[in-house]
Amino acid sequence: MFSDRYEITERIGIGGMAEVYKAQDQALRRVVAVKVMLPQYAADKEFTERFRLEAAAAAQLSSPYIVNIYDWGQDSGTYYIVMEYVRGIDLKSAIQQRGAINQRKVAEIGSQVCQALSVAHGQDIVHRDIKPQNIMVQPDGNVKVMDFGIARAKNSVKARTSNVLGTAHYISPEQAQGKELTGTSDIYSLGCVLYEAATGHLPFDGEEAVNVALKQVQEPPVPPSQVNPNIDADLEGIILKAMEKNPFNRFQTAQEMKRALDDYLRGRAVNLGAGAATTTIMGNNAQTQVMGANDYGYNNFAGGTEVMTPIEGTSKTAVRDFRVDDSAQKKNRSRRIAVGITTAVLLAVIAAIAAWALFFNQDDGLAKVPELSDLTQAQAEAAIEKAGFELGDVEEVYDADTVAGHVCGQDPEAGTEAEKGTKINITLSLGVEKGQIPNLKGLSADEAQDAIEKAGFVAKFGGNENSDDVEQDKVCRQDPEPGTEADAGTTITYWISSGVESVSVPDVRGYPERDAIATLEGAGFVVESQAGDYSEAYDEGTVMSQSPNGGKLEKGETVTIYISQGVDPSTLSKDVPDVSGMSESAAISALNNYGFQNVSSEYRNSTEVPEGNVIGQNVYSATADSQIVIYVSIGPAASTPDDGGNNGNNGNNGDNGGNNGGNGDNGGNSETPNTDDQNTNPNENLSTDPNL
């Protein structure tokens, strides 16, 4: 794990100064490629600076044909670059597996690489290491140029050092000599790549890299058509112009080379400009060595004739020096005349030999198998019969490089000799393979990547998003939809669930119950409503409390609300009905019905209210839990009978007692007769109390 973010999963390549790994970006949840500097170079400041410059240079470039650079850093002394993970195969591996590639495909690859170089050169960046290993062919057939590991801005100091960087089989002559480079150096390297792709062979090879580099400087390439006779003359002309030894005779810009390739692909006339200068080969005694910029170089140009002379002050055999003088021109003119005569004689001999062979072998029954690539079945059959052969088996395979219904393979191969009448088997293209988009919902990111790749498609991580029905870290959405049919190599984008969205819980206290439910459900919650308590703060029928109150919840969770019953009626005063005159039971029942449950009775004498009926009550306004007392009549009080006048007075009710009655302090009813001599007349001492 680098920087607590990039988790290494497997190694996918190794180069001269770094290894490349497949990794998972934990922050953005996508597959990336991580280029890690080899440990032996980590302490080398020049290499670490080159590593940093690679990231800086490539990060400036934006093109569909250039691998994107995402990040750069170092962790515990290990330097790394994070870049786009490109699925597919590098062009070198493709050539090794298939040999020569279909020439139209070669031109398409060249056009796309030119587009990438045009972007880089437009920012004064020279790649310096264009080779098939650095060109990735994706499943959809498009390419991406990668590895700007030795890229340098043209005006940088390091661009003018004498260090020779790059791969010997593809470096330009000026790069082999350590000269200052321009975009035409990349064009030369691309010419070497296209040469190899079109022929299946390197333009220059040798046992050691230094020998190959010297050939880049000294020797012209063998024309591609002599290696692969099926190459079109226009494509061959483009390749050879790109590989001119003199930078000024090449395409001057990548865009110019792209136009030539596009013209070839569209069947238009290819304009290669003025004739290229002839490359002069150094003598056989040239030293085998890659030269630095301070050793020698192109001194000047004159007359277009190249004469190899040592540069003054050096002991090494010089590469090309374009200085000429009159005597050199005369010698070269004589040499060209002699070469022309010799060539004419050789051509005449070759023609005679060919005519002789044709005459004496015309009936040997052998014929060359025709080139059938890109022909329809009918066209191929006509060509086979015209050449004296018969159509054999016809098979069909998916081939993204060939239009459906056209020939993408044949047996025997084109250009081989076979007896006339031999059956020629052909393979027709079904075009781009179709496949059904897999259902990724509920899969992890790794599972989704594997499912997409196994189905023949290209995976792309779209990002994270909330989902109500898919758990976190699983695929919740994809494009295109599952079950649809698409071409192999189609990009399928998938999104990973961040789980259910968490939202703030609205505060609905004080809302009427219906409004509170609508508000909470609108926010995505399930609502449970329960009866609350009495409340003086919240009106009856409104929300008095909720759980939870505030904070965040995932959508779909439950919020409980409690509905106020209003003010507690037991705390409110209200009128107490007048139950006077009612029977005791009727009065108690009436008061209970009015909400007064705490009713008690007191009994009193009354001459006006019949016994058992209510005389009155203690209150006429009270709270529901107040005690209500009703006074119930027990009828008039009973009187005391006369016993011979001795009693004098049987006073009752002390307030109105007679003068001589037995009257206590309170004038109450005395049961003891008063024997005072002065109060012996009972008629004079009767109490005036009306109840007596």
Side-chain angles (χ1 to χ4, degrees), residues 237-289:
I238 293 171
I239 293 172
L240 291 177
K241 182 176 178 68
M243 293 181 64
E244 280 287 343
K245 302 296 183 186
N246 184 348
F248 295 96
N249 290 335
R250 299 172 201 153
F251 297 102
Q252 293 304 291
T253 65
Q255 199 62 33
E256 182 185 346
M257 183 175 178
K258 181 180 186 302
R259 281 195 296 270
L261 289 166
D262 290 345
D263 286 343
Y264 166 72
L265 288 169
R266 291 176 173 81
R268 298 196 290 252
V270 177
N271 182 11
L272 297 178
T278 302
T279 301
T280 303
I281 303 173
M282 290 180 64
N284 294 330
N285 62 343
Q287 294 185 12
T288 305
Q289 185 168 350

Side-chain angles (χ1 to χ4, degrees), residues 162-497:
S162 61
N163 293 333
V164 177
L165 300 172
T167 305
H169 291 103
Y170 308 98
I171 59 174
S172 64
E174 58 268 29
Q175 189 172 2
Q177 299 170 74
K179 291 181 177 298
E180 182 176 353
L181 303 182
T182 65
T184 55
S185 177
D186 286 341
I187 290 173
Y188 182 94
S189 299
L190 178 57
C192 294
V193 170
L194 299 186
Y195 185 107
E196 183 181 7
T199 65
H201 296 275
L202 291 162
F204 303 104
D205 203 1
E207 293 182 0
E208 295 183 7
V210 69
N211 294 330
V212 177
L214 191 59
K215 288 181 180 180
Q216 298 282 18
V217 175
Q218 296 177 336
E219 299 180 6
V222 175
S225 59
Q226 293 185 23
V227 182
N228 180 2
N230 298 314
I231 293 179
D232 287 343
D234 284 342
L235 180 59
E236 180 179 55
I238 293 171
I239 293 172
L240 291 177
K241 182 176 178 68
M243 293 181 64
E244 280 287 343
K245 302 296 183 186
N246 184 348
F248 295 96
N249 290 335
R250 299 172 201 153
F251 297 102
Q252 293 304 291
T253 65
Q255 199 62 33
E256 182 185 346
M257 183 175 178
K258 181 180 186 302
R259 281 195 296 270
L261 289 166
D262 290 345
D263 286 343
Y264 166 72
L265 288 169
R266 291 176 173 81
R268 298 196 290 252
V270 177
N271 182 11
L272 297 178
T278 302
T279 301
T280 303
I281 303 173
M282 290 180 64
N284 294 330
N285 62 343
Q287 294 185 12
T288 305
Q289 185 168 350
V290 180
M291 286 71 75
N294 296 325
D295 294 333
Y296 33 65
Y298 298 120
N299 290 328
N300 53 53
F301 300 88
T305 304
E306 305 172 6
V307 180
M308 309 308 297
T309 59
I311 291 180
E312 186 176 349
T314 67
S315 58
K316 299 179 181 179
T317 303
V319 291
R320 298 177 300 178
D321 180 1
F322 289 85
R323 293 177 298 180
V324 297
D325 54 26
D326 290 341
S327 59
Q329 290 184 12
K330 292 176 182 178
K331 291 178 181 178
N332 285 335
R333 191 178 301 113
S334 299
R335 187 183 298 116
R336 285 199 298 273
I337 293 171
V339 169
I341 294 172
T342 303
T343 301
V345 172
L346 287 174
L347 289 175
V349 172
I350 292 171
I353 293 173
W356 179 86
L358 181 63
F359 179 79
F360 286 100
N361 292 287
Q362 58 184 343
D363 295 322
D364 62 0
L366 296 178
K368 279 191 176 183
V369 177
E371 171 64 61
L372 306 175
S373 295
D374 292 326
L375 300 181
T376 64
Q377 181 174 346
Q379 292 170 337
E381 186 172 3
I384 289 170
E385 292 176 352
K386 183 177 180 180
F389 301 105
E390 296 181 8
L391 177 64
D393 296 333
V394 178
E395 295 182 354
E396 292 182 314
V397 298
Y398 290 104
D399 189 328
D401 296 336
T402 307
V403 177
H406 290 238
V407 176
C408 59
Q410 66 181 83
D411 182 34
E413 293 183 1
T416 58
E417 287 191 340
E419 291 185 4
K420 292 182 178 180
T422 298
K423 289 188 175 182
I424 308 298
N425 302 319
I426 62 173
T427 303
L428 296 178
S429 170
L430 291 171
V432 179
E433 184 175 3
K434 300 283 185 179
Q436 194 173 63
I437 303 293
N439 186 359
L440 308 176
K441 192 171 184 178
L443 300 181
S444 67
D446 288 340
E447 290 170 340
Q449 291 271 359
D450 291 340
I452 292 170
E453 291 174 3
K454 286 178 181 177
F457 302 108
V458 177
K460 179 181 178 182
F461 173 65
N464 293 89
E465 60 182 36
N466 294 114
S467 174
D468 295 339
D469 59 346
V470 177
E471 65 178 294
Q472 189 172 353
D473 296 330
K474 302 294 184 182
V475 176
C476 59
R477 183 164 66 93
Q478 68 181 84
D479 183 38
E481 291 295 323
T484 57
E485 193 177 68
D487 294 343
T490 296
T491 297
I492 300 178
T493 305
Y494 63 91
W495 288 262
I496 297 294
S497 169

Side-chain angles (χ1 to χ4, degrees), residues 21-39:
Y21 294 89
K22 184 179 180 181
Q24 183 75 26
D25 183 343
Q26 298 295 332
L28 298 179
R29 296 184 182 278
R30 64 180 174 185
V31 177
V32 296
V34 177
K35 185 175 183 179
V36 182
M37 182 185 291
L38 293 174

